[in-house]
Amino acid sequence: MTKKKEIAIDLNSNWEFEPAPESTAHIKLKKKYDLFIGGKFVKPKSGKYFKTINPTTEEVLAEVAEAGQEDIDLAVKSARKAHKEWSKLSGKERGKYIFRIARLMQERAREFAVIEALDGGKPIREARDIDIPLASAHFFYYAGWADKLEYAFPNRKPKSLGVVAQITPWNFPMLMVAWKIAPALAAGNTVVLKPAETTPLTALKLAELFKDAGLPDGVVNIVTGYGKTGAMMVEHPDVNKVAFTGSTGVGKIIMKAIAGTTKKSTMELGGKAANIIFEDAPIDQAVEGIVNGIFFNQGHVCCAGSRLFIQESVYDLVMRKLKDRMQNLVVGDPLDKNTDVGAINSKKQLDVIDKYIKSGIAEGCEMYQPEGELPKKGYWCKPTLFTNVAQSNKIASEEIFGPVLAIQTFRTVAEVIAKANNTPYGLSAGIWSDKGSKVFNMTSKMKAGVVWANTYNKFDPTSPFGGYKESGHGREGGVQGLEPYLKFE
Ligand code: NAD
């Protein structure tokens, strides 16, 4: 790990990466952001605003409206009104708007990537190469489905649900918004969406893009606020579906709130994935996969490979290579294109991570962190691993949502399957082996919605994503991601 020198943030400077060819835009943040309701930015009836902070500098980036009950009523009303026309448009017409959104997002990728890094703390390299291109790819993909719903669901007469309330987390702000809005619109629904309170700025930028795309007023409404605002959306009587991505704890609250109503739901919740290294794995590649699995996006990843299982015979070799690799990870300014690990998203999340690190030490686990100093200002956590870990230790059983890896060993396939499945979560897993038959055997026995083989954290709009057990229900992505936004005769 090397220390990066402090770089002053000049929002109008030229960033050293290739912008989308058409882009000439500069990054300009407003001082104050209002709610986007009925195709316009409107002041909140609540009169309240909250601050969104740059986690790298602890400075206020902007003030953002906090929607209250009256604002949510207006947003739902506007979505309901828009649904009358939007649901009557042909799939081809709806598809045209969604394609336009995808193209505009591609053109302005640079702006979105910089704002994502500023507001969320994620490395610009990840925002630029992964989050924003993938978000745009989701709009492209679902635009293609808009006029093919009858073929996707033959003889089932698919129809839109109506108004959907969508609530997203802070770890992939733009990507999670795309996962939600694109299939909902393709299926003919209208939307009220609330981004997470610590990362609202790219969703609000997207609202500007909706205006530029000529999306009819009220088809997507973006409201901002804390959990209270989300609860108002969930409980609103004129909402037909709740699509939620966030913690298992809040997912449970939402499921209780909609129990006994006709509201549909999809829940994309937490995870504690097993990343399993067999002795016959390509070890160097596997070490990269471990690093990507847990340190990508500071470990703020629902499907992070946060539990590492190494076959005993290669334990020493893997550990040596892993520690060497961790020493070379660059922790620092998210706007530096060489940064590997950016800032922790908020002070609150840093406190959670620190608490888990302390609990690992208190429970007798052995901690390793690479050498090097962290920046003085901002919220930071060194890439961290723990050995001498037992299944029952908190760091091995609870979701930390930070760059902290809990390592255990195993001898046999049966042993590692039992250990990997011994969790209330079931979102994802990784297997590293050069034996295809072993991989296939494992995938059928792992209780995980996604299983990666000899790779990790790979996403594609065509591929469904979602969990089992306390990781949620329903799928996002692929044709499977359309179904929860439709009803059938
Ligand atoms: P969170 O549950 O605290 O918040 C998520 C969103 O829900 C935010 O917008 C928040 O304002 C809102 N919210 C909070 N309380 C609410 C309530 N009572 N009613 C309605 N809305 C409410 O989660 P977070 O800390 O923002 O995100 C981290 C969590 O998200 C992790 O557990 C992670 O695993 C999960 N996640 C899951 C996936 C997935 O696809 N399965 C993807 C990303 C993140």
Side-chain angles (χ1 to χ4, degrees):
M1 190 172 63
T2 54
K3 194 183 164 213
K4 300 306 298 176
K5 87 176 167 15
E6 295 273 332
I7 298 176
I9 294 164
D10 172 0
L11 298 182
N12 294 317
S13 74
N14 281 319
W15 302 96
E16 282 179 48
F17 58 81
E18 279 295 309
E22 302 85 339
S23 172
T24 53
H26 291 294
I27 315 305
K28 283 201 188 88
L29 292 182
K30 294 186 210 162
K31 284 212 169 93
K32 230 177 192 182
Y33 285 85
D34 291 320
L35 305 168
F36 184 68
I37 298 177
K40 291 181 199 70
F41 283 96
V42 295
K43 298 213 174 304
K45 300 275 180 204
S46 71
K48 290 188 190 164
Y49 289 82
F50 62 96
K51 294 178 170 69
T52 184
I53 308 284
N54 179 345
T56 307
T57 60
E58 301 178 43
E59 282 162 10
V60 175
L61 283 169
E63 291 202 342
V64 179
E66 183 184 340
Q69 189 63 57
E70 232 184 309
D71 301 302
I72 297 305
D73 290 346
L74 282 174
V76 173
K77 213 170 160 185
S78 133
R80 177 62 62 196
K81 189 173 161 212
H83 182 252
K84 288 201 181 84
E85 298 301 319
W86 182 250
S87 58
K88 279 193 215 125
L89 282 187
S90 67
K92 197 172 157 197
E93 281 299 307
R94 284 200 310 275
K96 271 198 225 166
Y97 287 108
I98 308 171
F99 270 124
R100 209 180 285 163
I101 293 164
R103 275 201 309 272
L104 285 173
M105 195 182 294
Q106 232 176 14
E107 286 170 15
R108 299 184 198 164
R110 170 176 169 273
E111 259 178 290
F112 277 103
V114 173
I115 296 172
E116 203 75 312
L118 283 172
D119 206 16
K122 66 172 63 209
I124 187 73
R125 191 158 44 84
E126 291 176 6
R128 178 198 67 186
D129 296 347
I130 299 169
D131 295 53
I132 308 304
L134 256 183
S136 158
H138 275 78
F139 279 99
F140 274 119
Y141 174 74
Y142 282 110
W145 274 121
D147 63 350
K148 300 175 193 71
L149 297 178
E150 286 79 11
Y151 303 97
F153 306 100
N155 305 320
R156 293 180 66 193
K157 300 208 171 101
K159 280 214 168 79
S160 65
L161 295 174
V163 174
V164 294
Q166 304 186 316
I167 300 171
T168 53
W170 46 260
N171 58 337
F172 293 96
M174 193 63 199
L175 188 56
M176 294 298 101
V177 165
W179 280 23
K180 297 249 175 300
I181 293 180
L185 296 190
N189 301 286
T190 54
V191 167
V192 178
L193 179 137
K194 188 191 90 61
E197 51 271 36
T198 58
T199 53
L201 295 183
T202 38
L204 291 164
K205 186 87 207 156
L206 185 63
E208 290 172 18
L209 193 147
F210 289 148
K211 276 169 78 79
D212 297 347
L215 188 69
D217 294 349
V219 169
V220 179
N221 305 272
I222 310 267
V223 293
T224 40
Y226 296 96
K228 258 193 303 182
T229 302
M232 289 169 198
M233 293 163 63
V234 168
E235 283 159 22
H236 199 287
D238 203 24
V239 157
N240 302 99
K241 177 195 157 87
V242 178
F244 174 74
T245 300
S247 61
T248 296
V250 172
K252 286 181 185 174
I253 294 172
I254 293 177
M255 288 308 291
K256 279 186 197 151
I258 62 172
T261 73
T262 55
K263 288 174 194 168
K264 288 183 181 280
S265 67
T266 34
M267 295 283 137
E268 297 286 354
L269 309 177
K272 191 76 186 172
N275 200 2
I276 301 168
I277 317 293
F278 283 100
E279 60 190 359
D280 56 23
I283 298 295
D284 286 332
Q285 212 178 309
V287 168
E288 283 308 309
I290 297 167
V291 168
N292 174 35
I294 187 64
F295 302 129
F296 168 59
N297 201 32
Q298 297 71 251
H300 303 326
V301 183
C302 50
C303 48
S306 52
R307 292 183 299 149
L308 178 65
F309 294 95
I310 309 175
Q311 200 157 22
E312 260 181 25
S313 48
V314 288
Y315 177 76
D316 291 340
L317 175 67
V318 172
M319 287 307 298
R320 181 170 52 75
K321 287 184 180 250
L322 179 57
K323 286 179 179 174
D324 282 353
R325 183 66 182 87
M326 282 169 71
Q327 192 59 48
N328 290 318
L329 289 175
V330 177
V331 182
D333 187 351
L335 293 173
D336 185 322
K337 64 183 168 47
N338 295 317
T339 290
D340 297 306
V341 181
I344 298 301
N345 180 263
S346 64
K347 170 79 171 63
K348 188 173 154 207
Q349 186 59 22
L350 182 59
D351 290 345
V352 170
I353 297 168
D354 284 345
K355 191 189 81 186
Y356 277 110
I357 290 179
K358 283 189 186 120
S359 93
I361 296 166
E363 287 190 301
C365 309
E366 205 171 301
M367 186 180 77
Y368 170 80
Q369 288 180 329
E371 287 161 14
E373 275 180 44
L374 294 174
K376 295 269 178 299
K377 261 199 150 184
Y379 314 130
W380 308 96
C381 179
K382 284 188 181 181
T384 304
L385 66 76
F386 279 100
T387 51
N388 199 23
V389 173
Q391 284 279 95
S392 57
N393 292 149
K394 273 190 177 176
I395 53 164
S397 55
E398 296 179 15
E399 187 184 42
I400 301 173
F401 222 55
V404 182
L405 181 62
I407 304 180
Q408 298 175 68
T409 58
F410 68 95
R411 285 187 189 159
T412 66
V413 169
E415 179 193 352
V416 77
I417 291 173
K419 280 181 167 169
N421 285 337
N422 182 15
T423 165
Y425 294 112
L427 191 56
S428 59
I431 303 169
W432 298 82
S433 165
D434 77 349
K435 302 275 185 302
S437 56
K438 193 190 281 177
V439 171
F440 279 121
N441 172 39
M442 294 279 297
T443 49
S444 63
K445 297 193 170 108
M446 305 278 294
K447 292 195 182 72
V450 177
V451 182
W452 285 291
N454 296 323
T455 186
Y456 208 92
N457 275 337
K458 285 277 175 291
F459 306 95
D460 190 278
T462 62
S463 163
F465 185 90
Y468 291 100
K469 303 195 280 183
E470 293 201 6
S471 290
H473 59 257
R475 293 292 178 268
E476 291 188 322
V479 68
Q480 293 85 349
L482 276 172
E483 194 163 354
Y485 286 103
L486 292 163
K487 59 185 173 195
F488 302 95
E489 274 177 9

